[in-house]
Amino acid sequence: QMTPGYHVTTGPAAIMWSPDSTASGSFAVDGSIFLFPTKGRDQEGYGIFVGGQALDGASPRYTYFLLRNDGKFLIKQRAGAATPVLKDWTSHAAIKLQAGEDAMKNDLRIVSGVKSVVFLVNGVEVASLPRATVAPDGAFGLRINHAVNAHVVKVTRSVASR
């Protein structure tokens, strides 16, 4: 823990969540994450997930929304060993890039509505998918890929709004 929030330095990829962090219906999950110098690992993703089920088991399920330091985002699911892509790595100008020795913060938001789930970066919508495809109800938390050095300010749930 490192106030405010906590610092994460990964070896292998990891998901992190609290058993109390669940959401269903209409809701938003927000994550504010500072990325520290990538040391040439700009292709590694970091972000948030929703819809977590059986996360401690052999067949976890969740939908994750990642950014990486080349200005691209990804929306993907994990369903046991399968990892279907919902939106492949796509460039977007809303993603702030880390450069030099300073950390760079990006705010991620997933808004779960009645019919669709909207994905935003720094307040800008980057994708919208059908709710049935995303399956957002369940646990929410962090997904941090291999060898990422980040500071997580928050991962919180709120009332759905953009």
Side-chain angles (χ1 to χ4, degrees):
Q1 185 155 350
M2 183 183 201
T3 305
Y6 40 97
H7 201 86
V8 177
T9 304
T10 56
I15 61 169
M16 293 156 256
W17 76 98
S18 167
D20 297 333
S21 295
T22 61
S24 63
S26 294
F27 64 89
V29 171
D30 296 287
S32 291
I33 304 171
F34 282 90
L35 181 65
F36 283 81
T38 63
K39 303 193 186 315
R41 297 197 54 96
D42 289 343
Q43 303 298 309
E44 297 299 337
Y46 63 97
I48 57 179
F49 73 85
V50 294
Q53 304 289 331
L55 297 177
D56 286 329
S59 295
R61 186 188 68 73
Y62 56 91
T63 299
Y64 52 107
F65 176 37
L66 302 182
L67 307 181
R68 63 183 191 196
N69 202 46
D70 64 355
K72 294 181 179 179
F73 73 93
L74 168 81
I75 304 168
K76 198 170 181 180
Q77 290 182 318
R78 173 158 298 279
T83 56
V85 174
L86 302 182
K87 177 81 173 168
D88 209 351
W89 289 109
T90 303
S91 294
H92 201 285
I95 301 168
K96 297 176 187 173
L97 301 181
Q98 186 284 325
E101 294 302 312
D102 295 328
M104 178 56 65
K105 181 176 78 118
N106 279 292
D107 294 318
L108 296 91
R109 183 175 181 90
I110 300 173
V111 180
S112 172
V114 174
K115 294 184 180 181
S116 65
V117 178
V118 178
F119 299 82
L120 301 100
V121 177
N122 299 316
V124 177
E125 181 177 323
V126 297
S128 179
L129 296 169
R131 180 182 176 81
T133 300
V134 176
D137 294 346
F140 65 88
L142 286 172
R143 161 83 190 212
I144 308 285
N145 279 1
H146 314 275
V148 172
N149 183 7
H151 182 80
V152 180
V153 177
K154 70 175 182 176
V155 177
T156 58
R157 176 191 47 158
S158 63
V159 174
S161 68
R162 289 196 200 173

